Amino acid sequence: MSIIGIVLGVIAIGLFIWLRKEQQIDNSLHEAELNHTHQGMNALMNDFNNYQVETDRKIAELEKQLKINNTSTNKAIEQIHKGLPGKIRGVIGHIEFARPLDK
C-alpha cells in the first residue's frame, strides 16, 4: 500500500510540474498576443492622430483660401459699385442728349 501511495504521490508531483509548465507556456503565448494587440492599437491610434492633424491642416488651409477668395470678390464688387454711377451717367447722358431720328 505504501508503494501505491508513493507512486501516486510521484504521479501527482509530475502532473503538477507538467501542468505548471503548460500554464507558463500558455501565459507566455497570451503575453505575446497581448503585446501584438497593444502594438496594433498604438499603430491605429497614431494613424488616427495623424489623420486628425492632417484634416485640421486641410480645413485651416481651405478656410484661409475661402477668406482670400471672399476678400478678393468683395474688392471686385466694390470696384464695380464705385464705377457704376459714372457708367450710368455716361449712358443716360448719351440718351438724354441724343437727337431723335424721326423729325
Side-chain angles (χ1 to χ4, degrees):
M1 183 92 151
S2 67
I3 293 177
I4 294 174
I6 292 173
V7 170
L8 287 176
V10 169
I11 290 173
I13 291 172
L15 186 60
F16 178 74
I17 291 171
W18 179 77
L19 286 175
R20 184 168 177 182
K21 189 175 182 180
E22 284 292 318
Q23 185 64 41
Q24 287 176 345
I25 291 171
D26 285 345
N27 285 346
S28 65
L29 289 174
H30 288 302
E31 184 180 352
E33 187 174 340
L34 184 64
N35 285 338
H36 289 280
T37 303
H38 187 69
Q39 288 175 352
M41 290 296 218
N42 281 337
L44 185 63
M45 182 178 64
N46 289 338
D47 286 345
F48 187 66
N49 286 343
N50 289 337
Y51 172 76
Q52 284 179 324
V53 168
E54 183 180 330
T55 304
D56 288 343
R57 271 192 217 128
K58 285 181 180 179
I59 289 172
E61 184 178 331
L62 288 172
E63 287 175 346
K64 183 179 175 183
Q65 288 177 357
L66 183 64
K67 194 174 195 179
I68 290 171
N69 287 342
N70 280 342
T71 55
S72 65
T73 304
N74 287 342
K75 286 180 183 178
I77 290 173
E78 286 177 16
Q79 289 295 331
I80 290 171
H81 281 294
K82 286 180 183 176
L84 194 59
K87 289 182 181 179
I88 291 173
R89 272 188 241 120
V91 170
I92 291 175
H94 288 298
I95 292 172
E96 287 179 1
F97 297 117
R99 295 183 184 188
L101 297 175
D102 58 348
K103 278 193 175 181

